[in-house]
Amino acid sequence: MTIAEHLPGFLRQQGFWDGEYRHLDAKGKIIDRHHSTVEVRLPKDGPWDYVQKNRWVWPDGRSKYAELPGTFREGRVHFDNDILTGVAWQGAPNIALFTWIRHDNPDVELFEMVVINDYDDRRSRTWHWLEDGVCVRRTLIDEIKVGP
């Protein structure tokens, strides 16, 4: 089975997404805010079944880029790349769920929920950052689809 057959909701996530990240501390205070552009693809050929490319830009001009490839097996997308190790699966037709550990912060486990609207043109994403089972940070991301 392919990712498209087993996780049809992931097809809805494909495209270019423009948005804003808001990072909050454990008490809800905004500690970081920046712009993002995300591209999601499910390639039919090549070594990867899922590829996500992120570009973040801060108001002071700093920027960062990451490419996050994954492979589909056992009903989930598995990530093991230079940045993180984790898995993703479909929680509902309009919800993708991710859990991962970043290599630069191995003591924190992240849980993400991506909710796409009925028109497939807006996404709301939330991250929960857990350290020793305690949520120490949250990230809120609002995105609009800007390209196929």
Side-chain angles (χ1 to χ4, degrees), residues 3 6-7 10 42 49-51 68-80 86-90 97-99:
I3 188 172
H6 195 76
L7 306 172
F10 275 57
L42 304 178
D49 302 305
Y50 177 100
V51 177
L68 307 167
T71 56
F72 178 71
R73 66 180 188 278
E74 301 165 354
R76 294 181 176 208
V77 179
H78 293 258
F79 299 92
D80 191 2
V87 296
W89 64 98
Q90 184 172 315
L97 300 168
F98 294 74
T99 182

Side-chain angles (χ1 to χ4, degrees), residues 38-58:
V38 175
E39 178 186 4
V40 176
R41 296 287 171 222
L42 304 178
K44 293 187 191 307
D45 299 315
W48 309 113
D49 302 305
Y50 177 100
V51 177
Q52 180 172 315
K53 299 175 183 178
N54 295 11
R55 178 168 304 284
W56 302 280
V57 179
W58 282 262

